[in-house]
């Protein structure tokens, strides 16, 4: 049993232990009563070339924020700081997996962003063009993002763990002509041949005209004449200053792909003004960032956490941060604690999966290090179980640091539900993300859209537009409407289950749809199924999530075989490898089962509830209300035929 009360009390400095929350409640009330006025005040914290004519044009389901306003995200993140003493402040402490280090001050970052922007311009990249970034966690990745933002090009970062096919799908969807990659990236001591993978993608992706290659690993790579260019050669001719483009607030900043309920990932579009304003404010509220903070978010820039919480929010505040390239257990399981100690990290933000991994190896590893610089801890990406919360609180935070459990999504752009120590410390409950941020009107409803009662589980919706919200699904407005705005008209549907307790605290309970969270990464069961049926021996496939004590969800794959294919352990392994090669290592099934027939409803839909039950090792008897969907015999047969 977790001692909830004790943790909540200990996480707060005594003098601020106040209840009810005064400042927070007042600000939140003001923000939902007059959102336009509230957000206009927040927006004034950024630098604008021209202020907006209207704070919000809300034509459901499209919200246009700060209409008529002009700004530049790269200006917010670098130019603004080099005009002050921060020019000599450290922006990035970079640590390579192989022990290499680089330190970039704000002035060096400014210089590099300008030169990279010049490289893009010289290659003919113009405002509105899409640029694909397929890079490891090296400083060149944020620098290229900011360089794109500087000239108004729209970046689309593709996680460096994705396969050639996944890379190609995303590049193809945006029709990016330029791909930026590296000769290799380090992961657990091995080199991932990124350029080679990009070559494979280019073979099947006709939009790719140029590949810029960053030197990282020094591995030999093949360079195709006329298409491939080394970054150092391009930089040799680059200008040292490129004027930031004053962009409309509604100009897209980036497209980032995320998984939904179909096989095709969605290109989530974020626009410049709303996204920057929302993230700038939320970052201050959630992380209570101070000039002297040393901040470290362990996410990969390939996911939204990296976009908002490594690049745009911290840099817009002129924060000093750590970026680490590699695996958490390389060369051994205390690598992260060694980094915290060495750089004196004060704010540390990671995922529940990582915490559970460390728990498994025991507190001996963190206890070996001096972690007394830590002041605030954060968690993101999946529900954190109270046991992991307590372990984090005790052994990493030394029972002194509050934990901000931050709920948000690729689509929301920034943190939506979280404690806000930057406004006022909120008494914490292990496993609860506490309350919606100012400007966020969250509710939990039943399938008819009626608010559920205290303690009842329902679907989480957001009842108002907020500046960080996605602007669209790239090239697919219909999917934007259908996925987010049609289930509960006028409200944004998150796809998450949640409940509120007697104190009004929000508890996020996982996905309500066919999206899995594997080590905090989002993968749709349909993507896994599409990959599986592209294997020559597979006829039909169904994927289900199975609770995993460390990763959150694991993947169990059920397949029916084509005629003539022989069931064998080798075939299982081969199907597994095929899925992994098609999507990337994060989508590797934990188990593959052969099944004679997939249990389906009368209308032909796969009965995932049955498969989930099988995946979780339950019996057909545990499924009580199945009769109206299919015959119980069919379900029993499905169970019986599993191998
Ligand atoms: C989904 C969004 C948020 C950036 C990284 C993930 C789950 C996220 C929490 C949390 C419980 C969480 C939700 C959400 N999730 N944070 N603190 N507690 N669940 O972004 O890949 O778009 O995934 O992650 O299920 O819908 P994403």
């Amino acid at each position: 049993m977790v001692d909830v009360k004790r943790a909540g009390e200990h996480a707060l400095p005594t003098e601020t232990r106040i209840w009810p929350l005064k400042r927070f409640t007042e600000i939140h009330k003001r923000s939902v009563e007059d959102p336009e006025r509230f957000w206009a005040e927040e927006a004034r914290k950024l630098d604008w070339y021209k202020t907006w004519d209207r704070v919000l044009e809300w034509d459901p389901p499209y919200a246009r924020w700060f209409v008529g306003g002009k700004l530049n995200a790269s200006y917010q993140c670098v130019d603004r700081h080099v005009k002050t003493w921060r020019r000599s402040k450290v922006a990035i402490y970079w640590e390579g997996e192989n022990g290499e280090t680089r330190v970039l001050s704000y002035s060096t970052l400014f210089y590099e962003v300008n030169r990279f922007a010049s490289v893009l311009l010289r290659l003919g990249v113009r405002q509105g063009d899409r640029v694909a970034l397929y890079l490891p966690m090296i400083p060149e990745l944020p620098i290229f993002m900011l360089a794109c933002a500087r000239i108004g090009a729209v970046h689309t970062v593709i996680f460096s763990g994705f396969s050639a096919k996944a890379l190609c799908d995303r590049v193809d969807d945006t029709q990016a002509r330029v791909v930026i990659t590296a000769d290799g990236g380090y992961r657990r001591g091995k080199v991932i041949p990124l350029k080679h993978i990009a070559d494979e993608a280019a073979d099947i992706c006709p939009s790719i005209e140029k590949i810029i290659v960053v030197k990282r690993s020094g591995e030999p790579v093949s360079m195709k004449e006329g298409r491939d260019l080394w970054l150092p050669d391009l930089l040799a001719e680059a200008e040292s200053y490129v004027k930031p483009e004053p962009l409309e607030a509604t100009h897209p900043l980036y497209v980032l792909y995320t998984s939904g309920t179909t096989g095709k990932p969605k290109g989530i579009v974020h626009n410049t003004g709303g996204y920057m304003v929302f993230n700038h404010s939320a970052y201050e509220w959630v992380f209570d960032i101070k000039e002297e903070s040393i901040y470290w978010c362990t996410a990969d820039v390939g996911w939204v956490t990296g976009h908002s919480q490594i690049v745009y929010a911290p840099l817009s505040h002129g924060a000093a941060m750590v970026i680490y390239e590699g695996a958490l257990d390389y060369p051994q399981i205390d690598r992260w604690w060694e980094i915290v100690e060495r750089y004196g990290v004060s704010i540390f933000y990671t995922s529940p999966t990582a915490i559970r991994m460390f728990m498994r190896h025991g507190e001996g590893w963190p206890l070996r290090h001096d972690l007394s610089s830590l002041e605030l801890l954060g968690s993101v990406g999946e529900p954190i179980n109270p046991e992991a919360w307590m372990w984090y609180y005790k052994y990493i935070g030394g029972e002194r640091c509050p934990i901000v459990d931050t709920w948000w999504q690729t689509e929301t752009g920034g943190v939506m539900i979280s404690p806000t120590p930057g406004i006022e410390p909120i008494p914490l409950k292990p496993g609860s993300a506490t309350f919606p941020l100012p400007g966020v009107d969250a509710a939990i409803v039943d399938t008819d859209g009626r608010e559920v009662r205290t303690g009842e589980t329902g679907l989480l919706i957001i009842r108002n537009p907020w500046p960080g919200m996605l602007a669209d699904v790239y090239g697919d407005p219909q999917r934007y409407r259908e996925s987010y705005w049609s289930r509960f008209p006028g409200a944004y549907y998150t796809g998450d289950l949640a409940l509120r307790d007697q104190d009004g605290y929000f508890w996020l309970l996982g996905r309500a749809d066919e999206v899995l969270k594997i080590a905090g990464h989002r993968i749709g069961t349909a993507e896994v199924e599409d990959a599986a049926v592209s294997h020559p021996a597979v006829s039909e496939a169904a994927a289900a999530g199975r609770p995993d004590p460390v990763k959150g969800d694991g993947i169990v794959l059920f397949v029916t075989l084509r005629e003539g294919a022989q069931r064998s352990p080798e075939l299982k392994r081969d199907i597994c490898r095929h899925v992994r090669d098609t999507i990337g290592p994060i989508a590797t099934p934990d188990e593959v089962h052969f099944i004679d027939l997939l249990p389906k409803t009368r209308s032909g839909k796969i009965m995932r509830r049955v498969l989930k039950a099988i995946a979780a090792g339950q019996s057909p008897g545990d499924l009580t209300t199945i009769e109206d969907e299919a015959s119980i015999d069919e379900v029993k047969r499905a169970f019986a035929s599993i191998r």
Side-chain angles (χ1 to χ4, degrees), residues 258 303-305 379-384 405-411 417 433 494-496 508-511 517 520-522:
T258 189
W303 310 103
V304 77
T305 313
S379 168
V380 63
E382 37 175 335
I384 180 163
D405 174 4
T406 64
W407 178 89
W408 56 295
Q409 307 178 302
T410 306
E411 294 87 342
I417 305 180
T494 64
D496 270 42
L508 284 310
L509 305 170
R511 298 289 306 192
K517 295 280 342 204
H521 303 135
R522 212 158 129 175

Side-chain angles (χ1 to χ4, degrees), residues 67 116 152 217 302 346 449 563 586 627:
V67 182
F116 283 43
S217 66
S346 59
E563 245 179 71
I586 54 168
E627 301 79 37

Side-chain angles (χ1 to χ4, degrees), residues 356-373:
R356 289 189 293 258
M357 205 109 97
F358 291 125
M359 262 175 96
R360 220 192 210 179
H361 288 89
E363 58 269 19
W365 291 100
L367 287 177
R368 237 179 246 193
H369 295 272
D370 177 2
L371 305 181
S372 60
S373 59

